[in-house]
Each structure stands twice: as structure tokens, then as C-alpha cells.
Amino acid sequence: MKHSEYPRLILLMLPVAIVFLAFFLLPMARLILIGGSGENGFSEYLSIFHTPRHFESLVSTVLLSAAVTIAAVIISAVTGVFLERNRFPGREVLISMLTFPLAFPGVVIGFLVIMLAGRQGLANEISQALTGSRLVFAYSMAGLFTGYLYFSIPRVILTIMAAAEKLDPALEEAARSLGASRWQVIRDVILPALKPALIASGAIAFATAMGAFGTAFTLATNIDVLPMTIYTEFTLNANFATAAALSIVLGTITWLALYISRSIAGSTVAAAA
Amino acid sequence: MTSDQEVSTSIRLEACAKTFDDGTRALEPIDLEIAGGETVVLLGPSGCGKTTTLRIIAGLEAPDPGGRVLFGSDDVTPLPIESRNVGMVFQSYALFPNMTVRENVAYGLMVRNVPKPERAVRVGEMLAMMHIEELADRRIDQLSGGQRQRVALARAIAVRPRVLLLDEPLTALDASLRERLRIEINDLLRSLGITAVYVTHDQGEAMAIGDRIVVMRKGVVAQIGSPKDIYYRPANAFVADFIGTSNRLTGHLSNGALSFQGGSIPWQRSEAAELTVMFRPQDAEIVAPTEAQIAGRIANVYFLGDRTKIILEAIGQGPIVVETTAQADFVIGSNVGLKINPDRIFEIDGET
Ligand SMILES: Nc1ncnc2c1ncn2[C@@H]1O[C@H](COP(=O)(O)OP(=O)(O)OP(=O)(O)O)[C@@H](O)[C@H]1O
Ligand SMILES: [Mg+2]
């Protein structure tokens, strides 16, 4: 690059730089500072790990998000590859139905879970009719899991279908000609080829689950996910420093997860190229 | 290769037709017998059913009901590809991108649970045979096209398949590399003594590699024969045109001579009133008009270095192509005589 091009380049970068500064860096810096402005100072960040309520909230959010991510990736991988491989009447309708929840806000998804697994829900009615026992899980971890899974699947499945479309059928045929069973073909050919898509879409699903609020809010469960805890600290307790510190921790963990998965996916993409 | 390998497997196709789900009739019922150790080339224009035939042999496609595929005396028709013990080489190489060269070559042995020490020995042998030892730990994306095809070959033969099936293995390579690998593959097939089916649409490749060539057209076998047979005794005009350049003369037979525009040739070999004969460009020569029974006019001359290609007009129905190594000056527009080697003129079915 010629030296004379630098001023022009800087000029072109200016709008992005301003937006980045104004809407990202400055609020972030402010948030970090607020997190340290409480009576505990910057040890507020550490207190999250000492306050049982906060720490439990953090752990359960991470576990829930991880479980939802794994389940969503497995379900979407099987379904996505199947949908990509098979042509049947109603396929298009099924795909658009699977991706439907993309447009729903969390509140609607929480509402759907209540209709499914609430006291007057479908699951309960069926269970009462069949076995006579009550089945209500909308307000438990299972309800949260169901709701989160519901909005995670569409995000994952579209990415996986796009990757499955690019699978080279000759690779599978080559493996089979060498004597590989169906399971060995999946293990040695299909999964390695889908790996970057699985990791990338899994990372998105994880980040979305970590930050999800509406669903948890609507279900008003007794499990506090981190966004709910932040909301409580902020609006009810007016505890700005704690809310800010929790936000930063939430953001950092999610960012770390994305970063790690990106570097894993990046190295496998290079290996697969 | 080793003593535990059975005598080369013969292949037999019986009435194998193929109609795809969408109704495409890719293959009319075809019967084909391939002897053990023989290399048979399937040759034909795009879409004639070469790949489909190969995939039926491989077990990747099932023939329409009634068709049978036999390896030796085993009826393998109901067996899927993973149970047929075939080696396959694809035009796109189809190497596993997530594995090294060594892991690719070892893959078939690994899924067959060959013990590790034996696996390593066999893989070493294969790498040495294909001259790719120094590439063993490379990733696939670090190989050239020719190297990839060598790895693909090594991977296919490492499992000691009963038959080797190759679908246009050289098409993706450049001309000089194609030539070199063609020779290598030829040597390899001879030294392994393995039964091989080789698909190509390149007639030069077919001639060089095939013990026999199956010329196909629109899902039908047009001719089966040795390369020489196919070249000099094409069964019909389609084969004649597909294999190299051919000249055709259609005319009336009377008094022991076949006459057409521009002259006649003596012809005692058949009774028909109207017939078509063919000859190859190198089996005729340009002479002075007085020295030949056929007269024409030079329409075009192409100097090809070692040869000269001359297009003649005013003979028969179409242009006549003659190739000569003579160094004479051929002048466009001049009237010349055409002399055809009588031993190299053949009657063919004129329908295309
Ligand atoms: N899966 C399929 N479904 C429908 N039609 C098919 C399918 N595979 C091949 N065909 C059709 O069958 C015919 C023969 O195809 P095939 O692939 O055997 O040709 P080919 O001789 O190998 O041609 P090429 O030289 O282009 O590879 C073609 O008309 C092709 O369009
Ligand atoms: Mg083909």
C-alpha cells in the first residue's frame, strides 16, 4: 500500500470509528466504571462470585445456555441434514415452520411454553387424560429449557442446512467404497465437514441464550437467569453498580465463548479448505 | 500383489437397465462381460450412461428390476457398495479434507480393522508404489492435482479391492500431466493384474489404456472391441466419427465399382445397390489428378508441424480430410487426385 493512501483510508474509516466509539466503547467504558462505583469499588466484580444468589444465577445461566446449545445443535444437525437430503411434499412448509420462531420476541415464546406446559397447558391435559397425573413444567428449568430450545433451533438449523447442501456426495461414496458403515461415514466424513457450521451456529445459539430475557421474564420462574438478576438489581433494588458489574461479567463470558469457538472453528476451516 | 489375493475377479452385467426416479432412462438393458484382470474402458459422449454403468457395477445405483451384477460367480446385485469390495477413483479425487495423505490411504484399512502395524506397512507400500512417500503428512489442500490423484489411487488399491473403478480420473488435470499419469495408471493396472473399469470421454485415453473399449451412445452399447477393432472396424458411423476423424463415401454399386461424385473405387465385397464406406485421414494420399480414380479440389490446408491436414471438396457428400507427412506444397483451389489404401476402406452402417 502506498503511503499517500493512508489519509484517505482514515477518512473512510472515520464514520465507523465514530459509531463504534459513541455507541460501543464509551457506553462500555461507562458501564465498567459504574460497576466499580458502588460502595465496594471494583471488588464489586469479584463479589459476584461470593454472593451466592449472583453466583448461582451465573452458573445456572451458563449451564442452561450450554445445555440448550448442545440440544439445539444435535436436533438441528439431524433435522437439517435430513431436510437437505430428502425431498417430500410439505418440505418447504416444514422448513418455514421450523424457522418461524425467529420472528418471535421472547415474551411470545414464554407465552407459548405456558400454553404447552402450564397449568391449563396441552401437556397437562394429555397427561391427565392418559395417566391421570399432573404434568406442569412451564415454570421450572424444563420450561425455560423448552422455550430456549424453541428459539435456538431456527438459528442453528438454517446454518447447518446451508453447510449440508455443500457436502460433496463423492466423499461419502468414497468412504463407503472403502468399506465404511453408515455410522463411520457420519463420524469421518459428514461431521468433520459440518464442524465449522456446528461450532459457529452453536456459538450464536449460546450467546442468544445467555442474553435471553423475555422468555424468562414471562415464565417468571423461580430460577433467576442472569439477565433477570440484572433486571432485578437495576429496577427493583436500584443497585446500579451490581447491575453494571453483572452485565460486564455476562458480556465477558459470552464474548469468551464466541472467541474460543471462533478460533476452534477457524482452525478447522483452514484444515478443511 | 500378494499371495492371499484371489485370482482376479471377472465382472458380468446381465440386462442392467437404469431408469431414474424422475423417469430419465439412462441405460437400456446392457449385457457386458469383463474378464478377470482385464481393463475395459467405457467411452462415449457426455450423458451416454458411462457413469451410470460404473455406478451400477460399484453398487451405488441399483439396476432396474431384472438386471444382475456378478463378480466372478457371486451375485452382488443386492449388496451395497460397502460390501462389494470395490476400489473407486473419482474425477474430483474425493479425498477426505480432514485427514492427511497417510490417513486417507489408511482409511479403508482402518474401517476394516486391519491391525495398526500391518496397516502402517501396507500404507507405506502404497505410498512408495505411487511415489508419494514424502507427502505422507501433508494435508490434502497442500497437494497439486496430480498428487491428489495419486493419493486417490493409493487409497483405492490399499484395500486390495476385487475390482477397480475409475470415473474420468484424469479429466481435471492439464494435458501433459494427463499423459504422464495415463502411462502410470496403465503400468499400475498391468502390474496389479486387477480387473478395472475406466470411464472416459477422451478417445486417446481409451485407446492407450483399454484392453477393450465399450463405445456407448444414449444408454446403448454401440460397439465392444479392442482399440484396433474400434478404430479400423467401427460398427457404424457413430463409432467411426467418435473415434478419431473418419471420411465417409456413400454411392451406387455397379460393375464392381462404387461410384460417387468425383470418381469411384473398385468394390467387390458386397451386393447392395447403395452403400457407405469409410477410411481414416492417414490412409489416403494426395496425388496428381491423372494418377487417381478420384478427383477433388483442395479447400483448405492446415500445417500441423509433423503432419499436414488437407480438406478436399467436390468428393462424395461432404468434405474429405487427408493427413499426410509429405512435405509437398498444397495449393488451395488446385485440382488433385485422391488415392485411398484399398486395405483400409471398410463398409459401415451409414446411419448416424
Ligand atoms: N440421479 C439422476 N437422476 C436423473 N437422471 C440422471 C441421474 N444421474 C444421471 N442422470 C441422467 O442419466 C444420463 C446418463 O448419465 P451419466 O452420468 O451416466 O452420463 P455420462 O456418460 O457419465 O456423462 P458424462 O461424460 O457427462 O459424465 C444422463 O442423461 C443424465 O442426465
Ligand atoms: Mg460421467
Side-chain angles (χ1 to χ4, degrees):
Chain A
M1 196 185 302
K2 281 180 300 210
H3 269 295
S4 57
E5 283 183 2
Y6 278 125
R8 223 187 62 193
L9 222 79
I10 289 167
L11 208 68
L12 284 171
M13 296 273 289
L14 207 58
V16 180
I18 291 172
V19 171
F20 186 64
L21 199 71
F23 295 106
F24 184 77
L25 277 189
L26 291 181
M28 272 304 263
R30 185 100 181 92
L31 204 59
I32 292 172
L33 289 178
I34 293 175
S37 68
E39 43 201 70
N40 300 331
F42 277 94
S43 58
E44 183 71 40
Y45 286 99
L46 290 179
S47 82
I48 288 165
F49 298 93
H50 299 142
T51 317
R53 203 166 57 80
H54 292 166
F55 188 65
E56 274 161 27
S57 164
L58 176 66
V59 169
S60 56
T61 308
V62 170
L63 287 182
L64 174 66
S65 302
V68 164
T69 303
I70 290 167
V73 167
I74 291 173
I75 292 171
S76 306
V78 175
T79 320
V81 173
F82 177 84
L83 285 174
E84 196 47 58
R85 293 277 163 100
N86 295 280
R87 296 285 179 271
F88 49 88
R91 176 177 171 272
E92 301 302 322
V93 179
L94 189 61
I95 291 174
S96 54
M97 265 170 60
L98 277 169
T99 54
F100 204 56
L102 271 181
F104 284 161
V107 182
V108 176
I109 288 170
F111 183 51
L112 286 174
V113 172
I114 292 174
M115 297 216 293
L116 173 74
R119 281 172 204 96
Q120 266 98 49
L122 192 62
N124 195 21
E125 272 174 29
I126 292 175
S127 170
Q128 298 266 16
L130 290 182
T131 64
S133 60
R134 263 167 55 84
L135 180 62
V136 177
F137 60 86
Y139 316 102
S140 67
M141 197 60 151
L144 267 186
F145 183 83
T146 310
Y148 277 37
L149 194 59
Y150 187 59
F151 69 68
S152 295
I153 285 177
R155 283 162 227 273
V156 179
I157 209 165
L158 287 180
T159 315
I160 290 179
M161 280 182 67
E165 197 186 349
K166 293 207 201 78
L167 286 176
D168 178 4
L171 280 182
E172 288 167 50
E173 291 173 354
R176 290 178 61 197
S177 77
L178 293 165
S181 63
R182 182 151 303 211
W183 152 243
Q184 284 165 327
V185 170
I186 292 175
R187 184 193 63 189
D188 300 326
V189 177
I190 298 181
L191 281 182
L194 291 184
K195 197 167 152 193
L198 296 179
I199 291 175
S201 58
I204 302 282
F206 181 77
T208 315
M210 283 293 287
F213 175 72
T215 310
F217 187 74
T218 312
L219 292 176
T221 50
N222 37 17
I223 312 127
D224 269 346
V225 291
L226 208 48
M228 277 293 286
T229 312
I230 295 170
Y231 174 80
T232 313
E233 293 294 343
F234 186 67
T235 53
L236 303 182
N237 305 345
N239 199 343
F240 295 157
T242 311
L246 284 170
S247 304
I248 293 291
V249 170
L250 173 72
T252 309
I253 289 176
T254 311
W255 174 83
L256 257 179
L258 286 178
Y259 180 81
I260 291 170
S261 72
R262 264 248 300 285
S263 52
I264 296 173
S267 59
T268 53
V269 168
Chain B
M1 197 157 37
T2 45
S3 53
D4 64 338
Q5 186 165 26
E6 59 181 305
V7 194
S8 309
T9 309
S10 62
I11 302 173
R12 199 157 89 220
L13 297 186
E14 288 178 5
C16 285
K18 182 69 196 178
T19 312
F20 283 104
D21 291 342
D22 63 355
T24 310
R25 180 76 159 173
L27 214 57
E28 299 300 326
I30 166 177
D31 292 288
L32 187 62
E33 193 126 9
I34 301 170
E38 191 182 23
T39 301
V40 162
V41 174
L42 305 182
L43 177 67
S46 187
C48 71
K50 307 180 294 287
T51 298
T52 305
T53 309
L54 195 78
R55 290 171 66 85
I56 287 176
I57 298 175
L60 286 168
E61 303 285 0
D64 289 351
R68 297 212 304 160
V69 183
L70 291 102
F71 284 3
S73 54
D74 310 334
D75 185 349
V76 297
T77 320
L79 295 185
I81 183 169
E82 50 268 39
S83 314
R84 287 196 188 184
N85 197 8
V86 295
M88 279 204 92
V89 178
F90 298 82
Q91 180 180 341
S92 61
Y93 319 122
L95 296 171
F96 307 126
N98 49 313
M99 302 181 197
T100 63
V101 168
R102 192 194 304 281
E103 288 163 349
N104 264 279
V105 177
Y107 187 75
L109 301 171
M110 188 194 80
V111 296
R112 274 155 217 244
N113 292 320
V114 173
K116 258 196 176 150
E118 189 188 337
R119 214 193 291 169
V121 173
R122 285 261 284 278
V123 170
E125 279 171 17
M126 289 302 130
L127 295 176
M129 186 191 265
M130 297 310 299
H131 313 289
I132 46 175
E133 290 140 300
E134 70 281 10
L135 306 176
D137 298 310
R138 292 250 194 114
R139 285 204 321 263
I140 300 309
D141 61 338
Q142 298 168 321
L143 303 178
S144 71
Q147 290 168 334
R148 282 177 206 209
Q149 203 47 285
R150 285 199 180 88
V151 177
L153 273 163
R155 182 180 69 178
I157 58 179
V159 295
R160 296 180 185 153
R162 300 180 77 178
V163 300
L164 187 60
L165 308 173
L166 308 102
D167 194 355
E168 312 215 14
L170 304 181
T171 308
L173 304 172
D174 66 54
S176 69
L177 191 58
R178 203 149 63 204
E179 188 102 2
R180 215 165 63 221
L181 261 174
R182 174 207 285 176
I183 295 168
E184 272 183 46
I185 290 183
N186 204 9
D187 293 347
L188 183 75
L189 294 179
R190 311 287 143 194
S191 69
L192 292 177
I194 194 174
T195 313
V197 184
Y198 188 108
V199 167
T200 182
H201 61 253
D202 178 327
Q203 41 119 350
E205 219 168 280
M207 295 277 168
I209 281 187
D211 294 321
R212 281 191 304 153
I213 296 176
V214 178
V215 185
M216 298 181 66
R217 178 196 191 194
K218 294 186 186 153
V220 178
V221 172
Q223 187 174 4
I224 303 180
S226 71
K228 276 217 175 84
D229 275 350
I230 302 269
Y231 190 75
Y232 283 116
R233 313 278 354 225
N236 52 45
F238 167 77
V239 178
D241 286 345
F242 192 73
I243 313 288
T245 313
S246 73
N247 295 302
R248 256 175 286 158
L249 293 170
T250 302
H252 297 283
L253 198 60
S254 59
N255 303 330
L258 179 69
S259 347
F260 39 83
Q261 188 200 349
S264 66
I265 48 171
W267 196 261
Q268 253 99 37
R269 283 176 253 175
S270 62
E271 318 277 78
E274 186 156 315
L275 64 93
T276 302
V277 296
M278 66 142 294
F279 62 96
R280 297 291 181 184
Q282 67 274 27
D283 294 325
E285 55 182 326
I286 307 274
V287 294
T290 50
E291 285 175 40
Q293 286 176 309
I294 310 169
R297 195 169 46 246
I298 295 182
N300 236 324
V301 178
Y302 301 95
F303 180 62
L304 303 175
D306 54 345
R307 295 158 295 141
T308 306
K309 184 159 133 185
I310 300 140
I311 315 291
L312 298 179
E313 57 187 6
I315 301 173
Q317 280 83 358
I320 295 289
V321 182
V322 176
E323 278 186 20
T324 176
T325 50
Q327 300 295 315
D329 267 337
F330 300 101
V331 181
I332 294 176
S334 62
N335 291 316
V336 292
L338 178 70
K339 213 172 174 176
I340 311 168
N341 179 349
D343 297 335
R344 290 289 172 81
I345 307 178
F346 301 101
E347 181 178 347
I348 57 165
D349 176 0
E351 302 296 315
T352 30

